[in-house]
Amino acid sequence: MAKILVVDDDELVRYSLARVLSSDGHEVIEAADGVTGLRKFRASRPELVVTDIVMPEQDGLGLLNELRRIDQKTPIMVISGGGEIAGTDFLLLAEKLGANDILAKPFDNSVLLGKVATLLAGNSGG
Amino acid sequence: MHPSADPPHTTIFKLLGTRFWVIAGLVTLGAALLLAEVLIEANAFEAFYEFTREHEDWNLDEWIMVALATLFSIVLAGSGIVLVLTRKLLRIEAQRRAFELKMEHSRQLVTLGTMVAGTAHSINNHLVPIIALVDLLKSESPADSHQARDLEKVKAAASNAAEIVSRMKTYAKTNHTVKGICQIGPATQAAIELARNALPQGARLSMQLKPVLHHVAVSAAAWEVVVLNLINNAADALEGASGTIDVSLRTDETPESTPQKGPVGGTPWVVLQVRDTGKGIAEADLRRIFEPFFTTKGLSRGTGLGLPESLGIVEAAGGRIDVNTEPGKGTCIEVWLPAMQAE
């Protein structure tokens, strides 16, 4: 189906996302931080990026900024277990910074796959 | 009924302590005895008498009377001034203590908020593999198999944990999220209708809502949380037995004990009362009921967040919660909220 880059520092989260996405027929590339994520994005040009926010090296918001600088088309979904900066929720901030969709952890697989399908359809359609 | 459970009024006697008064009394008595002893020893009265007889033309008697009267007046006025000053000092001290308590409470809230945010983030991350993989395994198992049913239970438990985390976050953030305004009468009515659906068998809910149309500084959603929490607790206190839950709404004067917080210009307070005929709250538990995670209901029923969450919401709107309970007979909870000034 589609090539999806999953960026999350938690190995178990990466593993589960990879399992769920590949069970739906997608090819999953994994990265454990923003820097690696950016490198893998350049190398493999995925059709969708799913990234966490709180990560070492470069966090998800930084990665989002970098990605938007080099590529405006590829849809990015930001996921997070919560947190805020100066009263603004990380996820809402990610949306303002140009994330195409956001998802709070934990989530039902059907919700994740639904969002992924919508983003991929939107991208191929437009 | 006025709110109870206020700090007792401190008096000058209590402030200085029994020991102070005993010692002060003994010192005064000792000094008086010593002075008397010295005067007697010196034959002072006789000398004084002689002196006045020798100088009758000085009108000493009159002067002495004037001196005594002046001395008496000075002592009386001085005592009055000391009393008034002490009262003022006591009031200032009480205000300072209240302020410090408030500051301490704010500091605790900030610490709690930070802790909760960190914990919530971690737990939410740990829940991802549990929910995602269980969901996946379930979708791969035959629909009516044991495995599918068991996995459904695991997922339900993980979802409950996620729900608790979410409520923890709401509680810790309460001060930011409850801002809003609602009309107390209709908002209460709506919340009670919601609560009615979840009442256990045997619980009778009676409502006495006067048409209170005042506005209060709480969002309707947050007020719903408060009302639901209180009715839920009342229902749980019945412990499955039959009993009644009386909910009433009224307006009242400014509570005596919170004059500094009360709305000015004769604007009333609105009071929601939830009274149950349940088991009551044991004295040892009473002090802890507003502590986060304190519950007597057992893990499956209570999160220990209902009352702290409600208190957070009510305090953010300038209100207070009073608890009156009698173990074995029931509990009466009153939420006092200042009404907002009419436009």
Side-chain angles (χ1 to χ4, degrees), chain B residues 47-120:
Chain B
F48 184 69
Y49 181 75
E50 291 296 324
F51 184 75
T52 50
R53 290 305 97 194
E54 279 169 28
H55 300 281
E56 267 184 73
D57 53 322
W58 289 8
N59 286 339
L60 274 176
D61 295 1
E62 283 81 354
W63 284 114
I64 287 166
M65 283 311 287
V66 169
L68 279 178
T70 312
L71 193 69
F72 186 70
S73 310
I74 288 171
V75 168
L76 209 64
S79 311
I81 290 169
V82 167
L83 203 68
V84 169
L85 280 179
T86 316
R87 279 210 176 147
K88 272 217 165 109
L89 280 175
L90 282 176
R91 202 171 309 143
I92 291 168
E93 174 65 13
Q95 279 170 356
R96 191 188 61 81
R97 239 183 270 170
F99 176 75
E100 271 183 5
L101 271 179
K102 212 169 178 173
M103 287 300 291
E104 181 57 28
H105 186 59
S106 308
R107 272 195 292 271
Q108 282 174 353
L109 275 185
V110 170
T111 315
L112 182 75
T114 313
M115 206 181 78
V116 165
T119 314

Side-chain angles (χ1 to χ4, degrees), chain A residues 17 20-21 77 103 107-117:
Chain A
L17 283 172
V20 173
L21 291 170
M77 172 154 70
L103 182 57
F107 38 76
D108 274 7
N109 293 351
S110 54
V111 178
L112 171 75
L113 293 176
K115 281 178 181 279
V116 165

